[in-house]
Amino acid sequence: MKNSILVKSLLVFLTIMAFSACIEEKKKRVINFPQTDLSTENLIPKPMKMIATNGGFALDQFTAIYTSDNAGYEEVGKFLAEKIKGKTGLDIQVNVAEIPDMETVIYINRSDSLELNAPEAYQLYITLDSVILNSNTAEGAFRGIQTIRQLIPETRSDSLAAYPIWTIPTGKISDSPQFEYRGSMLDVARHFFSVEDVKKYIDLLAYYKYNVLHLHLTDDQGWRIEIKSWPLLTEVGGSTEVGGEAGGFYTQEEYKDIVAYAAERHMVIVPEVDMPGHTNAASVSYPVFNGTGITPELYEGTQVGKSTFATRKDTLYSFLDDVVGEIAAITPGPYFHIGGDESHVTKKKDYIYFVERVEKIVRKHGKRMIGWDEIGQAKMDSSSISQFWASKENALDAVAMGMKIIMSPATKAYLDMEYDTLSKHGLHWAAYIPTDSAYIWTPESYEGIPMENILGIEAPLWSETISDIGELEYLAFPRAIGYSELSWSIPENRDWENYKIRLANQAPFLDRMNVKYYPSPLIDWKKSKYSYKEIEKD
Ligand code: TNX
C-alpha cells in the first residue's frame, strides 16, 4: 500500500518535472531570437501582401509537418521536408500519428476561402508556434512552400537552446501570381543538355515559382526527342550539335521522366518542334520532306533561316501528325509549340498554308498551339498563342485575332544575350542585357500589347554559345530570378533598389545549389557564412 502511494507520487512528480522541463524548453525556443522582420526578408518573387509581426517561429528538431488529406497535399509536405533536410539537416516528420507536446507545427491545409480562389494563390500565417499554409489547390500549396523555403535562414540562429534552431519571421502573407504562364525556354537542340541538367534547371526555376519549362527540342543542328514511328530523326538527326560534338536525344522514357519531375514541382513542359524552317536535322534524316531532292548535310554551325519543309506535300502532314501525336501523348500539359520563326526560305503563302494546317493537327491532338510571333501572319484560331520575340506588328495581329501573347521580347527577356562586352558567353544581336535592364521594364504595358491579352512571360535560353550546365547557369542566373518577379509580382511591388538587395541575398542559396551564376558587378553579393559542407558537419 505504502509502496504504491510512493510510486504514484513519484509518477506525478516525474510528470510535473517533465512538463516544466517542456515549458522551459519551449521558453528557450522563443527567447533570444534575432529581431526578425518578414517584410524585409529576401523573398523573390515579392509576395502580393505581407504583414510582419516581428517574432520568430523556431524550426528545429521538434517541428513536424501536417497536411490535409486532399490530393497532392501530402506530397507537397514531403517535398518541403526533403528541402528542409537539405538546407538544415533536420529530419522533419510528415503526418506522424499524433502531435507530441513538444512540437511546433507546419500545417499545409486545403481551404475554400474565397480570397484563395485565384489559381496558385496561398496564404501563410506564421506565429511563434505554428506555420499555417492555406491554399485551394496543391499547386497553390506548392508555391507557398517555396516561400517557406526562402524564409528559412541559410544559417542557424543563435539561441540558448542546446540544439540548432532556424528562425522563421512571424507574420502574414497573402499571395497570388499576376500571370498564369511563367516560363523559361531551354534550347536543347543547338547543344544537347542531359536529363540531369534539365532537372537541375527545373529545380532552380521551381524555387522562384516558375510553372513552365519550354523545351526547344528540334532545330537545324539537332532533333532531340525520340519519335518511334520515324526513328532516323534521332538516330541521324540527333547525332551532332553546334561545334560538332556528339549531340544526343531524349528517349520517350527520358522525356516522360522530365515531364514527371516537372509535374512533381507543379510545372508543365512545353515541347517545341520548330518548323517549317529550322528543320535541317529532320531533312537530313528524311530528305523527302525538304522537297529539293537533295539530301542535306548535318549542320554544326549557328546560322539561321536556310532550311524549310516542302509545305505543299501531303505526306509531310501525315509525318507531322505522327510527330505531334507521339509527343502530345506523353505531354500532360496543355500546350504544343510549333516554332514557326525565321522561315526565311519558305514563301510567305506557303508559310501561311503550313501554319494553318499544322494548327489543326495540334488541336486534333488536344493541345493549344503556341508559335513564335511570325504565326500572326496566318489566320489563327483565337485559342492559339503567339510568343512575342521580335515583331510587335506580328504580335498585334495576333491580338486582333483574339489570341493570347507570351511576352519574350529579345531585347529584354532573352537569356542568351550577353550581359555586357565582357560576357563570357552569349550573343548580342538584340541587345546587351545587364541584370538591371533585364528587370527594369514593364511587360504589362510593353509595345502596346493589351494587358488582357498577356498570358505571361517567358525567358528563352538559346544555346549556340553554351554547352554545359555551368555555362547555362552563367547566362540564366541571376537574370531568370528577375523574370520570376516580373511574371509573378504586380508592378507596385517591384522596385530595382529593393530587388537588388533581395537578389544579393540569394547568393548563399545559389552557392549551396552549386549554381555558377554570373556575379554581376551591379549587385553587392552576400557572402555565404557556411558552405553547404560545413552545415552538414555541424
Ligand atoms: C533567334 S528567337 C532565334 C533562334 C536563335 C536566337 C539566338 C527565335 C524565335 N529564333 O533561332 O537561337 O535568335 O538569340
Side-chain angles (χ1 to χ4, degrees), residues 190 278 304 341-342 372 389 414 416-417 427 429 462 464:
R190 269 55 176 273
H278 293 273
V304 296
D341 58 315
E342 299 173 319
W372 297 104
W389 70 283
Y414 264 29
D416 67 316
M417 289 299 117
L427 304 168
W429 64 264
W462 301 98
E464 286 93 334

PDB file of all heavy atoms in Angstrom, residues 190 278 304 341-342 372 389 414 416-417 427 429 462 464, ligand 1:
ATOM      1  N   ARG A 190      20.561  23.178 -80.185  1.00  0.00           N
ATOM      2  CA  ARG A 190      21.878  23.671 -80.632  1.00  0.00           C
ATOM      3  C   ARG A 190      22.978  22.963 -79.849  1.00  0.00           C
ATOM      4  O   ARG A 190      23.992  22.548 -80.391  1.00  0.00           O
ATOM      5  CB  ARG A 190      21.966  25.184 -80.443  1.00  0.00           C
ATOM      6  CG  ARG A 190      21.514  25.981 -81.653  1.00  0.00           C
ATOM      7  CD  ARG A 190      20.092  25.632 -82.120  1.00  0.00           C
ATOM      8  NE  ARG A 190      19.664  26.480 -83.206  1.00  0.00           N
ATOM      9  CZ  ARG A 190      19.080  27.670 -83.021  1.00  0.00           C
ATOM     10  NH1 ARG A 190      18.822  28.109 -81.805  1.00  0.00           N
ATOM     11  NH2 ARG A 190      18.722  28.377 -84.063  1.00  0.00           N
ATOM     12  N   HIS A 278      14.132  25.911 -89.680  1.00  0.00           N
ATOM     13  CA  HIS A 278      14.864  25.258 -88.581  1.00  0.00           C
ATOM     14  C   HIS A 278      14.712  23.735 -88.614  1.00  0.00           C
ATOM     15  O   HIS A 278      14.617  23.090 -87.582  1.00  0.00           O
ATOM     16  CB  HIS A 278      14.389  25.796 -87.222  1.00  0.00           C
ATOM     17  CG  HIS A 278      14.739  27.231 -86.982  1.00  0.00           C
ATOM     18  ND1 HIS A 278      15.937  27.633 -86.433  1.00  0.00           N
ATOM     19  CD2 HIS A 278      14.054  28.375 -87.235  1.00  0.00           C
ATOM     20  CE1 HIS A 278      15.963  28.959 -86.339  1.00  0.00           C
ATOM     21  NE2 HIS A 278      14.841  29.434 -86.832  1.00  0.00           N
ATOM     22  N   VAL A 304      21.006  30.892 -89.178  1.00  0.00           N
ATOM     23  CA  VAL A 304      19.589  30.507 -89.175  1.00  0.00           C
ATOM     24  C   VAL A 304      18.948  30.833 -90.521  1.00  0.00           C
ATOM     25  O   VAL A 304      19.502  31.584 -91.311  1.00  0.00           O
ATOM     26  CB  VAL A 304      18.798  31.238 -88.053  1.00  0.00           C
ATOM     27  CG1 VAL A 304      19.311  30.841 -86.691  1.00  0.00           C
ATOM     28  CG2 VAL A 304      18.850  32.751 -88.249  1.00  0.00           C
ATOM     29  N   ASP A 341       9.326  30.305 -86.482  1.00  0.00           N
ATOM     30  CA  ASP A 341      10.148  31.512 -86.624  1.00  0.00           C
ATOM     31  C   ASP A 341      11.103  31.403 -87.801  1.00  0.00           C
ATOM     32  O   ASP A 341      11.431  30.296 -88.256  1.00  0.00           O
ATOM     33  CB  ASP A 341      10.974  31.742 -85.336  1.00  0.00           C
ATOM     34  CG  ASP A 341      11.867  30.539 -85.015  1.00  0.00           C
ATOM     35  OD1 ASP A 341      11.358  29.399 -85.104  1.00  0.00           O
ATOM     36  OD2 ASP A 341      13.050  30.727 -84.708  1.00  0.00           O
ATOM     37  N   GLU A 342      11.522  32.541 -88.261  1.00  0.00           N
ATOM     38  CA  GLU A 342      12.637  32.679 -89.213  1.00  0.00           C
ATOM     39  C   GLU A 342      12.587  31.679 -90.367  1.00  0.00           C
ATOM     40  O   GLU A 342      13.623  31.108 -90.726  1.00  0.00           O
ATOM     41  CB  GLU A 342      13.979  32.514 -88.464  1.00  0.00           C
ATOM     42  CG  GLU A 342      14.197  33.545 -87.393  1.00  0.00           C
ATOM     43  CD  GLU A 342      15.430  33.274 -86.549  1.00  0.00           C
ATOM     44  OE1 GLU A 342      15.692  32.112 -86.200  1.00  0.00           O
ATOM     45  OE2 GLU A 342      16.124  34.231 -86.220  1.00  0.00           O
ATOM     46  N   TRP A 372       6.078  31.122 -82.454  1.00  0.00           N
ATOM     47  CA  TRP A 372       6.779  32.414 -82.394  1.00  0.00           C
ATOM     48  C   TRP A 372       5.953  33.457 -83.148  1.00  0.00           C
ATOM     49  O   TRP A 372       5.066  33.106 -83.937  1.00  0.00           O
ATOM     50  CB  TRP A 372       8.197  32.269 -82.956  1.00  0.00           C
ATOM     51  CG  TRP A 372       9.032  31.314 -82.135  1.00  0.00           C
ATOM     52  CD1 TRP A 372       9.370  30.038 -82.469  1.00  0.00           C
ATOM     53  CD2 TRP A 372       9.594  31.545 -80.832  1.00  0.00           C
ATOM     54  NE1 TRP A 372      10.117  29.460 -81.458  1.00  0.00           N
ATOM     55  CE2 TRP A 372      10.274  30.368 -80.443  1.00  0.00           C
ATOM     56  CE3 TRP A 372       9.597  32.629 -79.950  1.00  0.00           C
ATOM     57  CZ2 TRP A 372      10.939  30.238 -79.217  1.00  0.00           C
ATOM     58  CZ3 TRP A 372      10.263  32.510 -78.729  1.00  0.00           C
ATOM     59  CH2 TRP A 372      10.928  31.329 -78.377  1.00  0.00           C
ATOM     60  N   TRP A 389       8.583  37.772 -79.718  1.00  0.00           N
ATOM     61  CA  TRP A 389      10.041  37.830 -79.505  1.00  0.00           C
ATOM     62  C   TRP A 389      10.682  38.961 -80.290  1.00  0.00           C
ATOM     63  O   TRP A 389      11.634  39.564 -79.853  1.00  0.00           O
ATOM     64  CB  TRP A 389      10.705  36.498 -79.850  1.00  0.00           C
ATOM     65  CG  TRP A 389      10.731  36.138 -81.316  1.00  0.00           C
ATOM     66  CD1 TRP A 389       9.693  35.657 -82.056  1.00  0.00           C
ATOM     67  CD2 TRP A 389      11.848  36.234 -82.211  1.00  0.00           C
ATOM     68  NE1 TRP A 389      10.083  35.440 -83.353  1.00  0.00           N
ATOM     69  CE2 TRP A 389      11.407  35.788 -83.469  1.00  0.00           C
ATOM     70  CE3 TRP A 389      13.172  36.647 -82.065  1.00  0.00           C
ATOM     71  CZ2 TRP A 389      12.238  35.743 -84.599  1.00  0.00           C
ATOM     72  CZ3 TRP A 389      14.010  36.602 -83.179  1.00  0.00           C
ATOM     73  CH2 TRP A 389      13.534  36.157 -84.433  1.00  0.00           C
ATOM     74  N   TYR A 414      15.689  37.890 -73.403  1.00  0.00           N
ATOM     75  CA  TYR A 414      16.486  36.774 -73.916  1.00  0.00           C
ATOM     76  C   TYR A 414      17.673  36.474 -72.995  1.00  0.00           C
ATOM     77  O   TYR A 414      18.588  37.270 -72.848  1.00  0.00           O
ATOM     78  CB  TYR A 414      16.976  37.080 -75.339  1.00  0.00           C
ATOM     79  CG  TYR A 414      16.066  36.489 -76.392  1.00  0.00           C
ATOM     80  CD1 TYR A 414      14.708  36.318 -76.118  1.00  0.00           C
ATOM     81  CD2 TYR A 414      16.542  36.096 -77.635  1.00  0.00           C
ATOM     82  CE1 TYR A 414      13.865  35.755 -77.061  1.00  0.00           C
ATOM     83  CE2 TYR A 414      15.694  35.539 -78.594  1.00  0.00           C
ATOM     84  CZ  TYR A 414      14.357  35.378 -78.290  1.00  0.00           C
ATOM     85  OH  TYR A 414      13.519  34.828 -79.216  1.00  0.00           O
ATOM     86  N   ASP A 416      19.978  34.491 -73.559  1.00  0.00           N
ATOM     87  CA  ASP A 416      21.249  34.229 -74.254  1.00  0.00           C
ATOM     88  C   ASP A 416      21.934  35.512 -74.701  1.00  0.00           C
ATOM     89  O   ASP A 416      23.002  35.443 -75.328  1.00  0.00           O
ATOM     90  CB  ASP A 416      21.043  33.303 -75.463  1.00  0.00           C
ATOM     91  CG  ASP A 416      20.239  33.951 -76.566  1.00  0.00           C
ATOM     92  OD1 ASP A 416      19.219  34.606 -76.248  1.00  0.00           O
ATOM     93  OD2 ASP A 416      20.617  33.827 -77.744  1.00  0.00           O
ATOM     94  N   MET A 417      21.348  36.665 -74.376  1.00  0.00           N
ATOM     95  CA  MET A 417      22.042  37.906 -74.708  1.00  0.00           C
ATOM     96  C   MET A 417      23.164  38.149 -73.698  1.00  0.00           C
ATOM     97  O   MET A 417      23.014  37.863 -72.506  1.00  0.00           O
ATOM     98  CB  MET A 417      21.068  39.094 -74.700  1.00  0.00           C
ATOM     99  CG  MET A 417      20.085  39.078 -75.859  1.00  0.00           C
ATOM    100  SD  MET A 417      20.922  39.148 -77.466  1.00  0.00           S
ATOM    101  CE  MET A 417      20.433  37.574 -78.172  1.00  0.00           C
ATOM    102  N   LEU A 427      25.218  36.008 -77.066  1.00  0.00           N
ATOM    103  CA  LEU A 427      25.197  36.755 -78.329  1.00  0.00           C
ATOM    104  C   LEU A 427      24.757  38.180 -78.001  1.00  0.00           C
ATOM    105  O   LEU A 427      24.328  38.448 -76.887  1.00  0.00           O
ATOM    106  CB  LEU A 427      24.184  36.113 -79.294  1.00  0.00           C
ATOM    107  CG  LEU A 427      24.376  34.618 -79.604  1.00  0.00           C
ATOM    108  CD1 LEU A 427      23.143  34.071 -80.329  1.00  0.00           C
ATOM    109  CD2 LEU A 427      25.624  34.418 -80.460  1.00  0.00           C
ATOM    110  N   TRP A 429      22.996  40.160 -80.704  1.00  0.00           N
ATOM    111  CA  TRP A 429      22.298  40.710 -81.870  1.00  0.00           C
ATOM    112  C   TRP A 429      21.085  41.562 -81.466  1.00  0.00           C
ATOM    113  O   TRP A 429      20.748  42.520 -82.163  1.00  0.00           O
ATOM    114  CB  TRP A 429      21.874  39.609 -82.854  1.00  0.00           C
ATOM    115  CG  TRP A 429      20.871  38.635 -82.291  1.00  0.00           C
ATOM    116  CD1 TRP A 429      21.146  37.430 -81.729  1.00  0.00           C
ATOM    117  CD2 TRP A 429      19.455  38.794 -82.232  1.00  0.00           C
ATOM    118  NE1 TRP A 429      19.990  36.822 -81.311  1.00  0.00           N
ATOM    119  CE2 TRP A 429      18.931  37.641 -81.603  1.00  0.00           C
ATOM    120  CE3 TRP A 429      18.555  39.799 -82.634  1.00  0.00           C
ATOM    121  CZ2 TRP A 429      17.568  37.457 -81.369  1.00  0.00           C
ATOM    122  CZ3 TRP A 429      17.197  39.623 -82.404  1.00  0.00           C
ATOM    123  CH2 TRP A 429      16.713  38.457 -81.780  1.00  0.00           C
ATOM    124  N   TRP A 462      18.687  30.371 -75.569  1.00  0.00           N
ATOM    125  CA  TRP A 462      19.207  29.698 -76.766  1.00  0.00           C
ATOM    126  C   TRP A 462      20.626  29.253 -76.478  1.00  0.00           C
ATOM    127  O   TRP A 462      21.348  29.903 -75.715  1.00  0.00           O
ATOM    128  CB  TRP A 462      19.158  30.666 -77.959  1.00  0.00           C
ATOM    129  CG  TRP A 462      17.760  31.139 -78.229  1.00  0.00           C
ATOM    130  CD1 TRP A 462      17.204  32.316 -77.830  1.00  0.00           C
ATOM    131  CD2 TRP A 462      16.735  30.435 -78.931  1.00  0.00           C
ATOM    132  NE1 TRP A 462      15.892  32.390 -78.244  1.00  0.00           N
ATOM    133  CE2 TRP A 462      15.580  31.245 -78.920  1.00  0.00           C
ATOM    134  CE3 TRP A 462      16.675  29.193 -79.574  1.00  0.00           C
ATOM    135  CZ2 TRP A 462      14.383  30.858 -79.518  1.00  0.00           C
ATOM    136  CZ3 TRP A 462      15.483  28.798 -80.170  1.00  0.00           C
ATOM    137  CH2 TRP A 462      14.354  29.634 -80.141  1.00  0.00           C
ATOM    138  N   GLU A 464      23.409  28.421 -78.615  1.00  0.00           N
ATOM    139  CA  GLU A 464      24.534  28.421 -79.570  1.00  0.00           C
ATOM    140  C   GLU A 464      25.880  28.555 -78.857  1.00  0.00           C
ATOM    141  O   GLU A 464      26.876  27.967 -79.285  1.00  0.00           O
ATOM    142  CB  GLU A 464      24.406  29.597 -80.558  1.00  0.00           C
ATOM    143  CG  GLU A 464      23.337  29.434 -81.616  1.00  0.00           C
ATOM    144  CD  GLU A 464      22.018  30.054 -81.197  1.00  0.00           C
ATOM    145  OE1 GLU A 464      21.750  30.160 -79.984  1.00  0.00           O
ATOM    146  OE2 GLU A 464      21.246  30.435 -82.097  1.00  0.00           O
TER     147      GLU A 464
HETATM  148  C1  TNX B   1      16.629  33.927 -82.880  1.00  0.00           C
HETATM  149  S1  TNX B   1      14.234  33.785 -81.265  1.00  0.00           S
HETATM  150  C2  TNX B   1      16.049  32.690 -82.975  1.00  0.00           C
HETATM  151  C3  TNX B   1      16.831  31.498 -82.606  1.00  0.00           C
HETATM  152  C4  TNX B   1      18.231  31.854 -82.207  1.00  0.00           C
HETATM  153  C5  TNX B   1      18.222  33.112 -81.372  1.00  0.00           C
HETATM  154  C6  TNX B   1      19.551  33.490 -80.830  1.00  0.00           C
HETATM  155  C7  TNX B   1      13.792  32.904 -82.357  1.00  0.00           C
HETATM  156  C8  TNX B   1      12.399  32.600 -82.408  1.00  0.00           C
HETATM  157  N1  TNX B   1      14.731  32.488 -83.219  1.00  0.00           N
HETATM  158  O1  TNX B   1      16.825  30.568 -83.659  1.00  0.00           O
HETATM  159  O2  TNX B   1      18.770  30.800 -81.489  1.00  0.00           O
HETATM  160  O3  TNX B   1      17.736  34.153 -82.153  1.00  0.00           O
HETATM  161  O4  TNX B   1      19.453  34.557 -79.967  1.00  0.00           O
END
